[in-house]
Amino acid sequence: MFHLQKATQVTSAESDEKGNDTLLGLAEHYRYPPRPSEGPGAAAPFVRANMVASIDGAATHDGKSGGLGGDGDKTVFRVLRGLADVILVGAGTATTEGYRQPQPDEAFAGLRQENGQAAAPALALVSRSLSIPPDYPPLSHPDTVVLTRASAPAERRAALVDAGATLIDCGEDDVETSALIETCGERGWPRVLCEGGPSLLGSLIADDLLDELCLTTSPHLAGGNAGRIAVRAADAEQEAAALKAMSPAAIITDDDGYVFTRWLRRGRSSIH
């Protein structure tokens, strides 16, 4: 049986005279599901990912995901950050895309205060190799952590610690995705927003830790050889990874033709 789902159209906050209304309306649309007050689920973070791809599946243009974005995409990006406790991102993606420390956003100040959240989300950089430039500005910020492995190169570990970085080991020989999410819970970050890159998202998918995918489809064909939004190096002897079932929760479009979809892990009810 087929179901016709009508897309809701929304303009970007920058071009909307009632910009805060747009932002708060989207915040209501994208709000995280309520957490149980007690029991096992009370400690389990909800893991959301936000990614962008062209119509033909390219995750980047000219080497950056930002090359596929538009005003509406930037607005959704801002809203999702405004709701999150922590931005979980691969260190390579963060440095390539020019990430800076997340700052408080006045539009969401009241909402965050009501939810008992910090003024701005923390930043969690995931790095197996610790090949992060020691002068990368967010490293020394108290709300930034580097999630790595115990066997990471000692000289790189020392260089980052000397630069003021906070390092947390999430595995011995590799960075274990389950340990990443457990660390978020332990540090009081139940609302996790993963912004890639593809290897990190691929690991979360493979380990069945992704609760929701927010996917922006850019109204462009990219061609070329750009990668997908999620990848994971497969062992030649491994069987094909199992498909992860997701359910469509909502579709939004904007004035520029971008399509914003929300996909929930199958078995989770939409909160709307």
Side-chain angles (χ1 to χ4, degrees), residues 81-96:
R81 283 191 159 207
L83 297 173
D85 292 315
V86 62
I87 311 302
L88 182 70
V89 62
T93 294
T95 54
T96 298

Side-chain angles (χ1 to χ4, degrees), residues 27 39 47 67 81 109 111 125 156 164 170 178 189 192 197-198 204 217-218 224 228 238:
V47 183
R81 283 191 159 207
L111 186 60
L125 303 169
R156 291 180 180 170
C170 294
S178 59
W189 301 329
V192 178
L204 290 172
T217 302
S218 176
R228 301 163 47 206
Q238 278 185 333

Side-chain angles (χ1 to χ4, degrees), residues 53-70:
S54 66
I55 298 169
D56 53 337
T60 59
H61 176 64
D62 197 24
K64 295 184 179 182
S65 62
L68 296 171

